[in-house]
Amino acid sequence: MTYGPVITEARRAAELAARTSYGRLIASLASRSRDIVVAEDALSDAFAAALATWPERGVPSSPEAWLLTAARRNLNHRARHENVQLGAVAELLSRIDEGAEVTDWAAVDERLKLLFVCAHPAIDENIRTPLMLQTVLGLDAQRIGSAFLVAPSTMGQRLVRAKTKIKQAALRFEVPDLREAPTRLDDVLRAVYVAYGSAWDDHAGGRGLAEEALYLGRTLVSLLPQEPEARGLLALMLYCESRREARRDASGRFVPLPEQDPRRWSTAMIIEAEALLTAASQAGRFGRFQCEAAIQSVHAQRGVTGHTEHAAICLLYELLLNHTPSVGVAVGRAAALIEAGALEDGARALDALDPESVLLYQPYWVVRARLAERRGDQELMRSTLERALGLTEDAAARRYLSDRLV
Amino acid sequence: MQYILLLNESPNELADRDHPERSKTYWGAWSAFIGAISKAGIIVNGDGLLGPETATTVRLRDGKRMVQDGPFADTKEVLGGYFVIEVPDLDAALEWAAKAPCVHGGSVEVRPVMPPMRAPKA
């Protein structure tokens, strides 16, 4: 019992190190062997050793360095055990590393390599985001599975398969030359955005994952300060996050953006997002995330000016559509035109879409209903809204739409 | 690391091999690719294969040998040849795969070659 506070302190230190350095430690351990599974095992053994020894000997001055050294030793033991030759190489490498390691991994952050390998084009697109969440943030398959609506065991298998491929097919642990391969950065950014988006849909359970996505976004900005799109992505997520509280009213009902009370938006997050977007724009390189953030920035202005510059939003959507065409952006642009009062342009934009591609796309039918409403066609509005309702999964959004049908 | 590049060609590409006008372009593209990859000094081995009409597939079912005319599966793309190359990682292998002429009409499957089996302990 007398050890209680000491154990608590040791546990807290280990947990803090786990939370703040997990990805850095895994990246550091796996970058040479490319073996994430083995790195995870070595690190979890190191955490166990920390919990066993820190209460007795005290928490080391640099818990991260302690864990890294312990985990490296585990790796070496394992390598020696499995293959005498490999063990010798590992031993040699670890000697080269000694002394240099602590300053070394602070300077060159291996997490970036890990992020790029997780979003490698040779990895199935659907597993990239979960893989990042697990290897860089240390989330378990249970939690990731529930966020992506996949059974934890299935998610666990998929993660293992991806990690096995990284190891066996020998994917490169390296930050690619982004001038030569700009799409590689897009893959990383998109995977982070997917993590945020999966949290966005799920208001109750998703908050934690949104925070993790923001953390990844911040990590990317600090690791790639020269990339405006990294800043753009973080700004975009912060604008969305700033409105989290305002998206539900007191009784938990969904509140769409135009009806939200700006006083319930987080000013701190908006200010941070504005600063990021301004810094990003100084690079003079247009990008999808900066543009989407700019659209959100215009919406955020309502908190100051009291009205929404619809014309600016339409223009930004046009730029976005030219740069990154997709059904989602096209529908967003149509919605912006309708809100701006350009009903005919909005209708034309909707008509131009391939009917097949929007058949089951809920936002399309919501925008169609809005168009009918603005044109004063109550009957068409109701039938279209019913159609949208049939495609809505989120309970709060369903309630919002069905309330409007009454 | 050794990787095999499985060069899958479309029937159209395969037909170009003997086409009176197009065969020159077909073989020209391949010899340019083979020239570049040879010069890089990474080829372990490699061959082109004759067409699927020359293939015979063997199976053993219930102890009976079954011999069948044609490739093992009827697919749109046909294995037209392969290279085994020695490069540091998958990214380097993919770079080479992307340069093969058959990526336009067909595809290249890249797979790590299994490391040689360890000799049993004496």
Side-chain angles (χ1 to χ4, degrees), chain A residues 34 82-83 120 122 165 168-172 184, chain B residues 1 3 88-95 112 118:
Chain A
R34 298 187 171 109
E82 276 180 0
N83 187 320
H120 196 287
K165 179 161 187 194
Q168 291 195 330
L171 271 60
R172 192 178 291 172
R184 293 291 302 275
Chain B
M1 279 289 290
Y3 295 89
D89 50 37
L90 179 69
D91 299 64
L94 293 178
E95 282 297 313
R118 228 181 283 173

Side-chain angles (χ1 to χ4, degrees), chain A residues 330-331 334-335 338 345-354 364 367-368 371:
Chain A
V331 170
I338 292 163
D345 290 339
R348 258 195 301 278
L350 290 172
D351 292 341
L353 290 166
D354 171 20
Y364 172 85
V367 174
R368 274 258 175 239
L371 177 66

Side-chain angles (χ1 to χ4, degrees), chain A residues 169-357:
Chain A
L171 271 60
R172 192 178 291 172
F173 262 77
E174 197 180 85
V175 179
D177 186 335
L178 296 176
R179 282 161 307 182
E180 269 178 38
T183 54
R184 293 291 302 275
L185 178 62
D186 290 348
D187 290 338
V188 171
L189 297 177
R190 220 176 24 235
V192 174
Y193 195 46
V194 168
Y196 185 78
S198 70
W200 187 239
D201 290 337
D202 175 16
H203 186 74
R207 182 154 207 164
L209 208 49
E211 269 164 26
E212 310 295 7
L214 283 165
Y215 176 79
L216 282 177
R218 287 186 201 285
T219 308
L220 280 167
V221 170
S222 68
L223 295 175
L224 294 167
Q226 73 284 12
E227 291 299 331
E229 278 293 89
R231 283 203 168 88
L233 170 64
L234 181 56
L236 173 60
M237 292 192 293
L238 282 167
Y239 280 123
C240 295
E241 197 59 18
S242 74
R243 301 199 283 260
R244 181 170 291 274
E245 294 306 316
R247 286 173 66 224
R248 294 284 187 275
D249 68 12
S251 58
R253 278 166 205 268
F254 172 74
V255 184
L257 179 54
E259 291 163 32
Q260 285 172 15
D261 179 356
R263 284 171 301 181
R264 297 190 67 203
W265 295 345
S266 159
T267 317
M269 285 189 201
I270 293 174
I271 289 171
E272 192 187 353
E274 294 287 330
L276 283 161
L277 195 53
T278 309
S281 68
Q282 276 154 7
R285 273 190 282 150
F286 181 85
R288 172 213 164 168
F289 288 112
Q290 290 171 78
C291 192
E292 286 192 48
I295 290 170
Q296 299 310 320
S297 167
V298 177
H299 282 299
Q301 291 304 312
R302 182 159 67 86
V304 183
T305 63
H307 70 274
T308 305
E309 278 299 334
H310 291 294
I313 293 177
C314 290
L315 189 67
L316 287 165
Y317 263 116
E318 201 134 321
L319 288 170
L320 188 58
L321 192 62
N322 282 330
H323 184 264
T324 322
S326 75
V327 173
V329 174
V331 170
R333 176 172 165 263
L337 287 166
I338 292 163
E339 292 313 312
L343 300 187
E344 293 320 304
D345 290 339
R348 258 195 301 278
L350 290 172
D351 292 341
L353 290 166
D354 171 20
E356 196 75 3
S357 69

Side-chain angles (χ1 to χ4, degrees), chain B residues 3-108:
Chain B
Y3 295 89
I4 189 163
L5 311 185
L6 297 162
L7 308 160
N8 301 313
E9 297 184 88
S10 67
N12 286 343
E13 285 175 308
L14 279 176
D16 283 357
R17 287 180 173 186
D18 303 317
H19 193 276
E21 288 118 47
R22 290 199 294 269
S23 70
K24 220 177 142 197
T25 322
Y26 174 90
W27 291 111
W30 277 106
S31 62
F33 173 67
I34 295 165
I37 201 167
S38 307
K39 223 184 258 169
I42 55 167
I43 297 180
V44 178
N45 57 54
D47 290 293
L49 303 180
L50 292 179
E53 68 283 358
T54 65
T56 309
T57 305
V58 183
R59 292 179 178 84
L60 199 64
R61 293 288 181 273
D62 301 323
K64 261 176 73 183
R65 183 191 297 179
M66 306 182 54
V67 178
Q68 199 189 332
D69 179 34
F72 82 96
D74 262 330
T75 48
K76 289 243 166 62
E77 292 175 358
V78 173
L79 185 64
Y82 72 95
F83 277 110
V84 175
I85 58 172
E86 175 80 52
V87 287
D89 50 37
L90 179 69
D91 299 64
L94 293 178
E95 282 297 313
W96 281 107
K99 291 188 176 82
C102 61
V103 290
H104 299 285
S107 64
V108 179

